[in-house]
C-alpha cells in the first residue's frame, strides 16, 4: 500500500520555476501534459491533487504536473490563471484545453479524451470546427432559455453570473444553464459563434439576448417578462412529472444506478415485471424532492405512480407483488 502511494506521488511532478516549466513543456512535447495550478490554502486543490494521483496511475503515458499558482506568477499570468484549481492541457508544447474548478468527473473525461486522441496533423482540424458549431447550436437550443455562465446557479463563480441568476430567479424565469468553466472549447467557441466576447450570455429559443447589462435594461423596461419563459408553478410541474409516463418512479438515482437500497430493491421488482417505466432522480432537483412529499402526502422515497396516481413506496409495492396484484396495478387495470 505504501509503495503504491509512493508511486502515485512520484507520478505527479512538482514544478517550482518558470524555467523548470518550460523545460518540462519541451521534454513532454510528444505526449499529453496536464498541469494543475493550485494553492496550498484551497482545500479543493488538495482533493484534486488526490484525483490527479489516481489518474497518473491509470495513465502512465500522460505527464501530470502540480504548479503552485502564486509561487510561479509568470506562468500563471501568461495563461490567465485567475482562480484555483485550474487545469491546463498541453500537446506539442501547445495549450489544447483548459478546465477551471474542482470538477473531478470532467477532469477524468478530458484526460481520457486527450490521452486517446493522439497528435492530429493540422489538416485534421477542418471537421472539428464544423462539429463545434453544431454542438454550440444544440447547446444554445438545449432549453427554451439557456444561460451560459461561470459556475452553476447554485454556486456562481463570478459576480456577473451571480447577478444574472438573481434577476432570472426574481422574475420566476425558467432556465437551464451551462458552466463554461467545465468546457474550454465551448467557452472560447461561443464567443465567436455569438460574436459576444464576455460571460454570462443568455439565449432564448437559440437566439442570443445578451449579457448582464442588456438583461438589466430589459428588466428596467419591463420587457424581460415578455421575452423569457416563466417557470410553471411547482404543483403544475409535479402534475406533469407524475404523468410523464404511464408508470413513473421517483427515486434516488436512476434506472442505471440506484443511490439507496430501497430504490435498488424497487427497481429489481419493477424490472422483473417487464412493464415499461420511467424514473426521476430526486437528488437532482431539491424543489421536486421536497414538493412531491406534500403533493402526494407521502414523506419518503422511492414513490411509484401509475397514470399520475400514487401507488406507494417500497413496502406497498412488495405487498402488491406478494399478493399477485402488482402487474394489474402497473397496467392500470386496478
Amino acid at each position: 500500500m505504501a509503495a503504491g502511494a509512493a508511486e502515485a506521488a512520484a507520478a505527479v511532478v512538482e514544478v517550482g520555476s518558470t524555467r523548470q516549466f518550460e523545460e518540462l513543456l519541451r521534454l513532454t512535447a510528444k505526449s499529453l501534459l496536464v498541469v494543475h495550478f493550485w494553492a496550498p490554502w484551497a482545500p479543493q486543490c488538495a482533493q484534486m491533487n488526490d484525483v490527479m494521483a489516481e489518474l497518473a496511475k491509470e495513465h502512465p503515458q500522460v505527464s501530470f504536473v502540480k504548479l503552485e499558482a502564486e509561487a510561479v506568477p509568470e506562468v500563471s499570468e501568461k495563461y490567465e490563471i485567475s482562480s484555483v484549481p485550474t487545469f491546463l492541457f498541453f500537446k506539442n508544447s501547445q495549450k489544447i484545453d483548459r478546465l477551471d474548478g474542482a470538477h473531478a468527473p470532467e477532469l477524468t473525461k478530458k484526460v481520457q479524451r486527450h490521452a486517446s486522441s493522439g497528435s492530429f496533423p493540422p489538416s485534421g482540424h477542418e471537421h472539428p470546427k464544423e462539429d463545434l458549431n453544431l454542438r454550440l447550436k444544440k447547446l444554445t437550443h438545449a432549453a427554451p432559455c439557456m444561460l451560459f455562465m461561470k459556475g452553476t446557479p447554485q454556486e456562481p463563480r463570478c459576480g456577473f453570473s451571480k447577478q444574472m441568476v438573481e434577476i432570472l430567479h426574481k422574475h420566476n424565469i425558467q432556465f437551464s444553464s451551462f458552466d463554461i468553466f467545465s468546457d474550454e472549447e465551448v467557452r472560447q467557441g461561443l464567443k465567436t459563434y455569438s460574436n459576444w466576447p464576455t460571460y454570462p450570455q443568455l439565449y432564448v429559443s437559440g437566439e442570443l439576448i445578451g449579457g448582464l447589462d442588456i438583461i438589466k435594461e430589459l428588466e428596467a423596461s419591463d420587457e424581460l417578462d415578455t421575452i423569457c419563459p416563466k417557470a410553471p408553478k411547482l404543483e403544475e410541474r409535479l402534475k406533469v412529472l407524475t404523468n410523464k409516463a404511464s408508470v413513473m418512479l421517483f427515486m434516488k438515482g436512476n434506472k442505471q444506478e440506484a443511490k439507496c437500497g430501497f430504490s435498488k430493491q424497487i427497481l429489481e421488482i419493477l424490472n422483473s415485471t417487464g412493464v415499461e417505466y420511467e424514473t426521476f432522480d430526486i437528488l437532482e432537483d431539491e424543489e421536486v424532492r421536497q414538493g412531491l412529499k406534500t403533493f402526494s402526502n407521502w414523506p419518503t422515497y422511492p414513490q411509484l405512480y401509475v397514470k399520475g396516481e400514487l401507488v406507494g413506496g417500497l413496502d406497498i409495492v412488495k405487498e402488491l407483488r406478494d399478493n399477485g396484484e402488482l402487474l394489474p396495478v402497473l397496467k392500470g387495470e386496478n
Side-chain angles (χ1 to χ4, degrees):
M1 187 68 184
E7 271 170 44
V12 179
V13 178
E14 182 115 28
V15 165
S17 70
T18 307
R19 191 175 162 193
Q20 194 186 351
F21 177 73
E22 285 167 356
E23 182 68 7
L24 204 66
L25 263 188
R26 199 173 57 76
L27 290 172
T28 58
K30 293 283 177 279
S31 62
L32 176 66
L33 171 68
V34 182
V35 184
H36 176 199
F37 289 82
W38 72 292
W41 46 262
Q44 62 271 40
C45 288
Q47 290 161 10
M48 294 308 284
N49 277 335
D50 293 343
V51 172
M52 220 164 60
E54 285 303 313
L55 287 170
K57 279 193 242 174
E58 288 169 37
H59 301 277
Q61 78 283 18
V62 177
S63 304
F64 291 91
V65 167
K66 272 169 38 172
L67 188 148
E68 194 181 323
E70 289 159 1
V72 194
E74 302 86 357
V75 177
S76 299
E77 280 163 25
K78 182 180 177 182
Y79 294 103
E80 298 177 347
I81 306 300
S82 56
S83 62
V84 292
T86 293
F87 294 85
L88 296 187
F89 299 76
F90 293 88
K91 242 183 206 175
N92 301 325
S93 303
Q94 298 294 313
K95 188 185 86 170
I96 55 163
D97 205 349
R98 174 184 183 123
L99 174 66
D100 292 77
H103 303 284
E106 198 60 39
L107 177 65
T108 306
K109 223 184 291 176
K110 283 181 183 286
V111 169
Q112 285 167 344
R113 190 168 79 225
H114 293 306
S116 61
S117 62
S119 298
F120 294 112
S123 62
H125 277 304
E126 299 307 311
H127 299 299
K129 191 78 180 161
E130 291 165 37
D131 295 345
L132 176 61
N133 279 342
L134 188 66
R135 202 173 151 222
L136 294 173
K137 189 177 180 182
K138 278 185 188 163
L139 278 173
T140 52
H141 285 84
C145 187
M146 270 302 287
L147 176 64
F148 292 80
M149 63 180 290
K150 293 179 179 178
T152 62
Q154 295 74 29
E155 211 176 308
R157 293 183 58 207
C158 86
F160 301 128
S161 291
K162 185 171 185 280
Q163 286 182 60
M164 178 77 97
V165 168
E166 283 167 358
I167 291 170
L168 295 178
H169 281 326
K170 186 167 88 181
H171 288 263
N172 193 32
I173 287 164
Q174 185 176 22
F175 67 97
S176 292
S177 68
F178 184 93
D179 180 1
I180 55 150
F181 279 157
S182 70
D183 195 314
E184 183 66 11
E185 192 181 36
V186 169
R187 180 184 186 173
Q188 300 305 336
L190 198 60
K191 293 178 187 177
T192 313
Y193 178 86
S194 61
N195 196 19
W196 195 270
T198 56
Y199 290 99
Q201 294 181 14
L202 187 71
Y203 292 74
V204 171
S205 305
E207 294 292 318
L208 175 71
I209 303 299
L212 180 61
D213 289 342
I214 303 259
I215 300 309
K216 281 182 171 175
E217 279 171 31
L218 289 170
E219 183 186 32
S221 62
D222 293 330
E223 291 173 75
L224 187 61
D225 291 324
T226 60
I227 291 171
C228 298
K230 288 286 195 184
K233 296 277 183 287
L234 180 59
E235 196 163 330
E236 285 168 31
R237 201 176 154 219
L238 294 174
K239 207 172 278 181
V240 169
L241 277 174
T242 52
N243 283 280
K244 192 179 167 196
S246 180
V247 180
M248 267 305 286
L249 177 65
F250 292 81
M251 62 178 286
K252 292 178 181 177
N254 54 41
K255 269 188 195 180
Q256 287 72 37
E257 189 191 358
K259 289 188 178 158
C260 85
F262 301 129
S263 292
K264 187 170 184 285
Q265 286 182 61
I266 208 164
L267 280 184
E268 286 165 0
I269 294 170
L270 289 177
N271 289 339
S272 71
T273 65
V275 171
E276 290 286 312
Y277 66 94
E278 291 291 323
T279 63
F280 184 94
D281 183 357
I282 54 146
L283 298 177
E284 295 282 312
D285 194 316
E286 190 60 19
E287 190 183 41
V288 169
R289 182 181 187 171
Q290 300 306 333
L292 199 60
K293 294 178 186 178
T294 314
F295 179 82
S296 62
N297 197 18
W298 194 271
T300 57
Y301 290 98
Q303 293 183 16
L304 183 69
Y305 289 75
V306 173
K307 295 183 175 168
E309 295 291 321
L310 175 71
V311 174
L314 178 62
D315 289 342
I316 301 237
V317 169
K318 278 182 173 175
E319 212 173 286
L320 290 169
R321 178 198 60 187
D322 296 344
N323 296 341
E325 295 171 46
L326 182 59
L327 207 52
V329 166
L330 293 177
K331 289 180 176 174
E333 291 166 10
N334 275 19

